[in-house]
Amino acid sequence: MKITLISVGKVKEDFYRKAVFEYEKRLSRYCNLEIVEVADEKTPEGAAPAMEEQIKEREADRILKHVREDAYVITLEIKGWQPDSLMFAEEMNRLAVQGKSHIQFIIGGSLGLHPKVSRAADKALGFSNMTFPHQLMRVILLEQIYRSYRIIRGEPYHK
């Protein structure tokens, strides 16, 4: 299976980069992982809501250029489906059994996703009602994808 992670912005902190690299390495046993970074927009201090919408729309246009029609698209959104790790593994397995050979996960920028990205998704996935830095979400998502493959294969994983 091919997994593509489309994310707004670069991972700047070294400790996040190291964690992403570690999960890239671990996941190479289970899937073909691709990480696509699209440029983020600088948000001026005290930006008006209209300007924030314009920023999200510009980021959305960059994201949507990478969305494949043949892929199953999952956005990360606070209001999305919030499974536990076993449910997430079951969903990943269900998609594979249904013949979905390409899953694209989308992580928005600091302002979130524009509605047109949400509309392009097959599913919205949430991890918590809390807000996390999008760089950290990349690590958390990769860890959960890795964990799901371990669960699917009946391999031990940390509970």
Side-chain angles (χ1 to χ4, degrees):
M1 174 171 289
K2 180 173 183 175
I3 303 281
T4 302
L5 172 55
I6 303 169
S7 184
V8 175
K10 293 191 176 299
V11 175
K12 296 174 180 93
E13 287 84 3
D14 189 50
F15 57 93
Y16 287 141
R17 280 197 307 272
K18 287 178 180 175
V20 167
F21 179 72
E22 179 63 29
Y23 284 108
E24 283 180 295
K25 219 170 36 172
R26 291 181 185 194
L27 280 165
S28 67
R29 293 181 45 207
Y30 303 102
C31 66
N32 177 9
L33 177 67
E34 174 188 27
I35 296 178
V36 176
E37 295 177 334
V38 300
D40 58 345
E41 290 284 322
K42 300 295 178 222
T43 304
E45 188 77 27
M51 177 174 263
E52 288 185 354
E53 274 305 299
Q54 290 174 348
I55 289 169
K56 288 195 297 187
E57 186 165 16
R58 285 193 293 269
E59 290 175 346
D61 291 340
R62 292 181 190 128
I63 290 168
L64 292 172
K65 286 179 183 174
H66 296 281
V67 172
R68 299 274 312 265
E69 236 178 78
D70 62 340
Y72 188 86
V73 178
I74 301 173
T75 52
L76 271 64
E77 303 188 46
I78 290 174
K79 301 289 185 208
W81 173 58
Q82 293 187 13
D84 61 25
S85 295
L86 291 173
M87 292 168 60
F88 182 66
E90 288 169 7
E91 178 71 0
M92 293 290 286
N93 193 48
R94 183 186 68 79
L95 292 171
V97 168
Q98 288 180 346
K100 306 290 185 199
S101 61
H102 189 186
I103 300 174
Q104 292 186 306
F105 290 91
I106 299 174
I107 300 174
S110 59
L111 297 175
L113 292 170
H114 189 273
K116 65 184 177 181
V117 177
S118 298
R119 286 191 300 270
D122 296 295
K123 189 174 210 97
L125 175 66
F127 279 86
S128 171
N129 287 324
M130 295 181 193
T131 302
F132 296 101
H134 58 278
Q135 295 181 49
L136 177 58
M137 276 315 304
R138 191 181 304 192
V139 176
I140 294 170
L141 174 61
L142 290 172
E143 190 281 333
Q144 285 299 301
I145 294 169
Y146 172 71
R147 182 180 296 264
S148 73
Y149 279 111
R150 304 279 297 183
I151 292 169
I152 290 165
R153 294 189 177 201
E155 297 171 354
Y157 66 99
H158 183 17
K159 295 181 183 181

